[in-house]
Amino acid sequence: MRALLQRVTEASVIVSAEVVGRIDAGLLIFVCAMPGDTKETSAKLAAKVAKLRLFKDAAGKMNLNLAQSGGAALVVSQFTLAADTRRGNRPGFSGAAKPADAEALYAQFTQDLRGRVDVVETGRFGADMAVALTNDGPVTIWLDTDAL
């Protein structure tokens, strides 16, 4: 699985003029399932996301994880994280998991994260989403479970 984390002061997802997910301070997490990913892969990624110390402590150092900071998570599916740009100018997305598998793993990741973080909101899998965010820092972290 792949994930792109952005530390935010606020973020929201709108689908067809309806706010389907919204958080204040925390992490906006874009997630992409890859072929061969499993429930164990999801659990590994959720554990890593939850443990990352990306939030400032009283001394201003990034020493707190999401739960310690009191922050929330907004999880959004994004198959484009599997983009292959090695040839031509049009990215290929065949490296992403099939939609049915990806949806199940997206749901699993969200569930795994809810076991570690108090507030977890989501986008809507497969929908055309408008994502709004205010970056904090900015802090942006790329994770790939193949490299964990």
Side-chain angles (χ1 to χ4, degrees):
M1 291 183 85
R2 292 181 177 168
L4 182 71
L5 316 177
Q6 293 187 306
R7 192 176 73 187
V8 298
T9 57
E10 63 182 351
S12 62
V13 177
I14 297 171
V15 176
S16 300
E18 172 193 359
V19 176
V20 297
R22 184 189 178 296
I23 63 168
D24 290 321
L27 289 176
L28 172 59
I29 306 167
F30 294 104
V31 176
C32 178
M34 308 294 284
D37 286 340
T38 63
K39 288 182 178 184
E40 291 76 22
T41 310
S42 169
K44 181 179 180 180
L45 181 60
K48 184 66 171 183
V49 168
K51 290 177 187 176
L52 281 174
R53 299 183 310 172
L54 302 176
F55 297 88
K56 294 177 184 176
D57 63 14
K61 293 189 178 195
M62 288 196 323
N63 277 327
L64 303 177
N65 64 37
L66 188 56
Q68 292 168 330
S69 73
L74 176 56
V75 182
V76 176
S77 62
Q78 188 171 357
F79 75 92
T80 60
L81 293 178
D84 181 352
T85 59
R86 291 177 289 182
R87 288 196 242 167
N89 295 316
R90 183 173 183 265
F93 302 106
S94 61
K98 302 294 182 207
D101 295 335
E103 185 171 13
L105 286 164
Y106 170 70
Q108 183 66 50
F109 174 78
T110 300
Q111 179 181 336
D112 292 337
L113 195 59
R114 281 190 173 120
R116 295 171 168 86
V117 178
D118 288 337
V119 177
V120 178
E121 295 280 320
T122 63
R124 187 170 296 152
F125 186 88
D128 186 12
M129 296 176 275
V131 180
L133 67 132
T134 303
N135 250 324
D136 182 19
V139 173
T140 303
I141 305 292
W142 167 263
L143 296 175
D144 189 325
T145 54
D146 284 346
L148 297 181

